[in-house]
Amino acid sequence: MSVLNDTENMANATASQPTLNASSPWAHRAEILENPLRTYLLGIIISICGNILISISLNIQKYAHVRHSQRDSKPYYTSPVWWCGVALMGVGELGNFAAYGFAPASLIAPLGCVSVIATYLVWQGRYCVSTTTSAVISVIFLKETVRVSDVLGGTLAITGTYVLVTFAPHTTTHITAHLIQYYIVSWFFVLYLSLEVLLFCILLYVYKKRNVKHIVVVMLLVALLASLTVISVKAVSGMITESIKGQLQFIYPIFYVMLVIMIASCAFQIKFLNQAMKMFDATEVVPINFVFFTASAIVAGIVFYQEFEGLALLNIFMFLLGCLLSFLGVFLIARNRPKIKQQDPDFIALDKIPSRSHTDKVQPEANTQTYGSLAAKLMCNSASRTHHDS
């Protein structure tokens, strides 16, 4: 009985929210977004398109880096091609942000592997990892080779994505400020948040104070932050969508609270991810981060937004199977990727000098004291031999 009363109160509160004039330019867009199925499909399409743009942008940036290393002496960020890739990535991430306002978070997060057929590039001569839509782009434009595991992994990722979309929750919730406030004070979210904060503090203590630099520890820290990111991104995106429909949400403080949480959690995620990329190979970081991020997003959607409420047991099982297939696909594509190192063009390895055989490839810098001492010593030895021979 209390649940029905809460639902009625929320409905009344939503109805009493300020609305835009029906003759405003947003009126037509609001009519388009009223169809639940159309809204659901729109979220999926926006997410897929956003990931494809990210895939293309990564390959464009990779092409700019390759061309820069071969031709230019200027910094790579002066290249218009590189900035074009950055702009496309911004548009793609904006699309992913918007998708959370139309479809469940537990569906949008796993869709990251769909198009993810994208090249994950770590610059400055580190590693390049190809995952499912952009493997095709990489082969066509960057002349990268395709392995059997790439084809198998891409097939599994696409199959898993199809299963995800088919059996995921199809209900679309209107995210309003009053609904977010109602979800925040629910006892199961308070319990979930308390456990998450406790686990985060323990992992941070182990990572910082005990100096345990294990990849699982770092990726769990990222995943716990990602959980808050998904909740806040969907809240902000959903409230913006409702404002476009005509129900203004910007007047409520909860909108700005969620906006601050979104920015802060994203910033700390980037920080820990950068630390992980410095300590471990991208072939390890990329698939583990995808799995942990997706799992945290699904749990966040279930706990906070109650997206699996009323979903049939078969749908839940098939949804989890789709996630598993996607995870396997990403692991197959990312594993055993060759390392791509960019050699300094001013450095010549000693083993490359014709008619010379050296066991040590390390040579001192020309501007160091060690180099001068060594060179002087060699010259003295050469002069003494010449004098002795004469």
Side-chain angles (χ1 to χ4, degrees):
M1 190 67 175
S2 60
V3 176
L4 292 175
N5 292 333
D6 291 335
T7 306
E8 291 176 0
N9 292 335
M10 284 190 294
N12 294 332
T14 303
S16 63
Q17 292 178 20
T19 58
L20 295 173
N21 193 331
S23 60
S24 67
W26 304 108
H28 179 63
R29 300 183 187 183
E31 292 178 3
I32 295 176
L33 298 176
E34 282 303 321
N35 189 321
L37 180 59
R38 186 180 298 172
T39 303
Y40 176 82
L41 293 176
L42 182 61
I44 294 174
I45 293 171
I46 291 176
S47 177
I48 292 175
C49 291
N51 282 308
I52 291 176
L53 285 178
I54 293 172
S55 169
I56 295 173
S57 74
L58 288 171
N59 282 278
I60 289 175
Q61 291 176 68
K62 178 179 179 179
Y63 172 76
H65 278 279
V66 171
R67 192 175 71 168
H68 170 266
S69 65
Q70 295 174 347
R71 303 178 185 176
D72 299 330
S73 58
K74 298 180 180 179
Y76 65 88
Y77 49 79
T78 60
S79 170
V81 177
W82 184 81
W83 280 108
C84 179
V86 171
L88 276 179
M89 175 173 284
V91 175
E93 293 292 356
L94 186 62
N96 273 334
F97 170 79
Y100 279 98
F102 300 109
S106 55
L107 173 62
I108 297 300
L111 282 179
C113 81
V114 84
S115 346
V116 170
I117 298 177
T119 302
Y120 188 94
L121 176 65
V122 181
W123 296 305
Q124 298 177 346
R126 293 181 188 162
Y127 311 101
C128 175
V129 179
S130 199
T131 44
T132 329
T133 304
S134 78
V136 178
I137 299 171
S138 299
V139 170
I140 295 175
F141 294 103
L142 300 176
K143 309 301 181 183
E144 295 187 359
T145 57
V146 179
R147 307 169 303 168
V148 176
S149 60
D150 294 335
V151 178
L152 180 59
T155 303
L156 286 175
I158 293 173
T159 304
T161 301
Y162 173 78
V163 174
L164 282 171
V165 173
T166 303
F167 293 96
H170 288 185
T171 56
T172 304
T173 306
H174 295 278
I175 304 299
T176 63
H178 290 282
L179 188 63
I180 296 299
Q181 292 172 350
Y182 172 76
Y183 284 152
I184 284 179
V185 298
S186 60
W187 69 268
F188 34 87
F189 175 70
V190 172
L191 177 61
Y192 168 78
L193 184 62
S194 302
L195 293 174
E196 187 174 84
V197 171
L198 178 62
L199 180 58
F200 184 85
C201 292
I202 294 173
L203 290 172
L204 191 62
Y205 172 78
V206 170
Y207 177 68
K208 292 289 187 181
K209 299 298 182 180
R210 295 294 182 179
N211 202 30
V212 178
K213 307 298 183 181
H214 196 279
I215 188 170
V216 173
V217 174
V218 185
M219 290 295 98
L220 278 175
L221 288 170
V222 175
L224 292 173
L225 289 168
S227 178
L228 292 178
T229 302
V230 169
I231 290 173
S232 57
V233 165
K234 184 170 178 60
V236 172
S237 180
M239 284 188 275
I240 291 175
T241 302
E242 289 301 310
S243 298
I244 293 175
K245 291 180 180 180
Q247 297 177 353
L248 289 177
Q249 306 296 314
F250 305 131
I251 61 174
Y252 298 102
I254 191 65
F255 173 82
Y256 300 98
V257 171
M258 285 296 178
L259 184 63
V260 170
I261 293 174
M262 180 183 73
I263 295 173
S265 60
C266 283
F268 281 105
Q269 262 188 271
I270 293 172
K271 176 185 176 181
F272 284 114
L273 271 176
N274 284 332
Q275 292 178 6
M277 293 303 299
K278 290 178 182 178
M279 294 186 292
F280 309 102
D281 291 354
T283 50
E284 297 176 291
V285 175
V286 172
I288 293 176
N289 180 58
F290 172 74
V291 172
F292 281 14
F293 172 82
T294 303
S296 66
I298 292 173
V299 172
I302 293 173
V303 174
F304 189 83
Y305 293 103
Q306 304 172 26
E307 292 176 346
F308 278 20
E309 186 177 6
L311 198 65
L313 189 61
L314 176 62
N315 286 57
I316 296 176
F317 174 79
M318 294 302 294
F319 178 85
L320 296 178
L321 177 62
C323 289
L324 179 61
L325 292 176
S326 299
F327 294 162
L328 288 176
V330 171
F331 269 105
L332 284 175
I333 294 171
R335 73 184 184 94
N336 298 329
R337 275 283 159 190
K339 298 178 182 179
I340 299 179
K341 299 284 187 181
Q342 292 180 350
Q343 294 288 352
D344 186 347
D346 298 328
F347 177 83
I348 302 176
L350 294 180
D351 62 338
K352 300 298 182 182
I353 301 177
S355 304
R356 297 287 180 181
S357 176
H358 302 272
T359 58
D360 191 358
K361 298 181 183 179
V362 178
Q363 61 186 32
E365 302 254 350
N367 57 355
T368 61
Q369 185 177 1
T370 308
Y371 179 87
S373 302
L374 181 61
K377 186 176 180 180
L378 290 174
M379 290 176 66
C380 289
N381 290 340
S382 176
S384 63
R385 284 199 196 104
T386 304
H387 177 73
H388 178 74
D389 292 341
S390 61

